[in-house]
Amino acid sequence: VQLLAAGALTLITQHWRNKYARKFLPSDAAMALVAVTALDRGNAGPDYVYGLGVPRVKEACDLINADVTAGGKQIVRGQVRHNVTLEYDMVVSSSATPLRVALAWLDLDAAAGASVTLVNDLDLTLVSPGGTSFYPYSGLTNGVGQSQTYQWTTTGPNRRDNVEIAGVDSPQ
């Protein structure tokens, strides 16, 4: 599985370089690309068996192509300051196609022995025109048993990960 992921990321990186004037694929963008285009397996959302899912090279490259065509409006990178909220509007062309959005960032190292290892907590929330909020996968809860095999993710505000994935099955 690790070789599949490494090979997939190599192909995605090469496509990025071909489309963006030989620039290297930033690691935060790579995390978001894989997270938003991976084929989910097992329990819904990230899990201990499949991680973010099975990488899909074609879908990731299609997203890169769509970003180039849209003038950089499909893959948005930027900076945020402390206590600042950034909002991005998007037009959904079809409610028949599920919407997936990822937020990924490079975080600082936490202090040795820190109980919370996420230093910068960014939060992703999708809000429909009608005001309904859709939250990212937010962490693991115990299922039938107490081992990690029986844990799955739920949705809600995410306070632990530097990659957040939110989705809407039938966007408005």
Side-chain angles (χ1 to χ4, degrees):
V1 172
Q2 290 88 355
L3 290 176
L4 169 71
L9 195 54
T10 300
L11 292 171
I12 293 166
T13 300
Q14 186 61 43
H15 188 68
W16 178 279
R17 288 179 50 94
N18 288 338
K19 293 294 181 176
Y20 293 105
R22 311 299 299 159
K23 293 180 182 173
F24 283 100
L25 174 62
S27 54
D28 56 330
M31 289 189 301
L33 270 169
V34 170
V36 81
T37 60
L39 177 63
D40 198 12
R41 293 283 197 204
N43 296 319
D47 58 51
Y48 283 113
V49 177
Y50 294 98
L52 294 172
V54 178
R56 296 191 296 183
V57 174
K58 181 185 181 314
E59 286 74 4
C61 290
D62 286 347
L63 181 54
I64 292 168
N65 291 341
D67 185 59
V68 170
T69 301
K73 294 183 180 177
Q74 299 290 317
I75 301 170
V76 179
R77 296 187 71 232
Q79 298 176 354
V80 64
R81 297 187 191 277
H82 185 67
N83 288 329
V84 171
T85 298
L86 294 178
E87 295 182 8
Y88 296 95
D89 292 327
M90 64 178 71
V91 176
V92 178
S93 58
S94 169
S95 63
T97 304
L99 173 67
R100 289 178 49 99
V101 176
L103 170 67
W105 65 98
L106 303 177
D107 203 28
L108 303 171
D109 291 333
S115 61
V116 176
T117 58
L118 187 64
V119 175
N120 296 298
D121 181 18
L122 304 182
D123 296 306
L124 173 65
T125 305
L126 305 180
V127 181
S128 74
T132 303
S133 294
F134 298 89
Y135 294 100
Y137 291 106
S138 61
L140 300 170
T141 59
N142 283 328
V144 182
Q146 297 299 314
S147 74
Q148 292 177 341
T149 305
Y150 294 102
Q151 294 185 349
W152 57 82
T153 54
T154 58
T155 57
N158 186 323
R159 306 282 184 244
R160 57 180 270 152
D161 300 311
N162 67 328
V163 178
E164 297 188 7
I165 310 161
V168 182
D169 291 333
S170 299
Q172 300 173 355

